[in-house]
Amino acid sequence: MTVSLFVGNNVIAQEIIDKAYMKCLYKYTYVRDTLAGVCRDDLLMLQIGHKASKCFSHYTAQIDSLYESPNGREVLNKQMKQAFATNIDPPHKRMRAYLYKNYPEGKMTVTDGASLQDYIYEDSLNVQNWEIKDSVKIIMGYQAQKAECSFRGRHWTAWFAEEIPIDNGPWKLGNLPGLIMEAYDEGMQYHFLINGLQRVNDEPIVFTKTYIGSKKFERTTRKKFLRHNMKVLCDMNGYILLETGIDLGTNDKQKVLRYDLLERDYK
């Protein structure tokens, strides 16, 4: 199914993969630099439909929405100048991944980016093998029960609400008999906490296009993407020089120690 969005004199065709009946917001905090202890935050949106769901960064989606409009880059440039002039955080992409669960059926489709190229790969769905514990706590007025599992190199703790019988959650997490309200890894390098829950009426779940680089997704596999992403993080200056001809200076040889990806099983 597709829908045409009219922007000025242009018509932008968007593929609708499902329609959401519920929307969740999660505060996402993570350690960006493990040596310096630099933390970052994000706001993730989870749209839940009857067949598929979509999880993505609210801030990244704002930037991508500007890219798709005729005068979006001009608007973004003005916002950037205003941010620098007032010494506030300029608009920028945060988590670049868009995750589509049960799309195609029984699988997960992930789009993500590294440097100036976006990629697409297929992933397994609901592969976490949770052990449900007796502990409970209240999150947003719901009784949440504790569960633990090891998933792709990290030990995860999740708190899920059986009152909301949806086997879904932030990022790639799910496969519990209730919506995941909170999840974090051992050491709290990555932390998801729900802070909004809303019933919606047939809100379109749209497959987001790419508007950077070649403006086409390069197909890959999960582990190949993770390995490439780590190489880019550890040699960002080199990749920028290769792709744009701009030399930002020497590389930091300690960068390989600074980054600890969300999924550690890429080697």
Side-chain angles (χ1 to χ4, degrees), residues 9 14 72 75 79 87 89 99 104 123 150 153 168 174 177 234 239 245 265:
N9 294 323
Q14 298 278 10
V75 172
Q79 292 178 353
N87 199 29
D89 197 20
L99 304 105
D123 201 356
S150 293
N168 213 324
C234 293
Y239 275 91
D265 65 334

Side-chain angles (χ1 to χ4, degrees), residues 66-217:
L66 285 173
Y67 281 153
E68 74 177 7
S69 63
N71 64 336
R73 293 180 186 273
E74 180 182 345
V75 172
L76 184 59
N77 287 337
K78 288 182 179 179
Q79 292 178 353
M80 295 284 284
K81 290 179 181 178
Q82 183 178 7
F84 287 126
T86 55
N87 199 29
I88 63 174
D89 197 20
H92 62 281
K93 290 189 177 187
R94 302 194 188 185
M95 185 182 82
R96 286 176 65 173
Y98 287 83
L99 304 105
Y100 306 88
K101 295 176 183 174
N102 206 40
Y103 181 77
E105 186 175 358
K107 296 288 185 179
M108 183 191 309
T109 296
V110 180
T111 65
D112 206 339
S115 190
L116 299 180
Q117 179 60 48
D118 283 341
Y119 299 83
I120 186 169
Y121 64 86
E122 191 175 275
D123 201 356
S124 302
L125 179 66
N126 292 336
V127 292
Q128 296 94 27
N129 186 19
W130 298 97
E131 182 180 347
I132 297 176
K133 306 293 186 177
D134 293 330
S135 301
V136 296
K137 67 177 178 178
I138 302 301
I139 302 177
M140 282 188 59
Y142 293 93
Q143 180 173 286
Q145 190 166 355
K146 186 178 182 180
E148 295 182 358
C149 79
S150 293
F151 178 59
R152 294 178 178 171
R154 294 185 183 275
H155 187 79
W156 286 93
T157 297
W159 298 85
F160 67 97
E162 283 193 283
E163 295 174 72
I164 310 173
I166 299 171
D167 62 341
N168 213 324
W171 183 55
K172 297 182 178 182
L173 302 178
N175 203 31
L176 279 166
L179 181 68
I180 295 176
M181 311 293 281
E182 182 179 13
Y184 46 85
D185 72 315
E186 188 175 13
M188 296 286 286
Q189 278 187 276
Y190 294 89
H191 184 205
F192 306 93
L193 178 62
I194 196 165
N195 65 0
L197 185 62
Q198 179 185 4
R199 287 276 182 181
V200 292
N201 184 25
D202 289 340
E203 180 177 278
I205 300 178
V206 175
F207 191 91
T208 300
K209 296 180 179 180
T210 175
Y211 301 95
I212 68 168
S214 65
K215 298 185 180 180
K216 293 181 180 180
F217 292 113

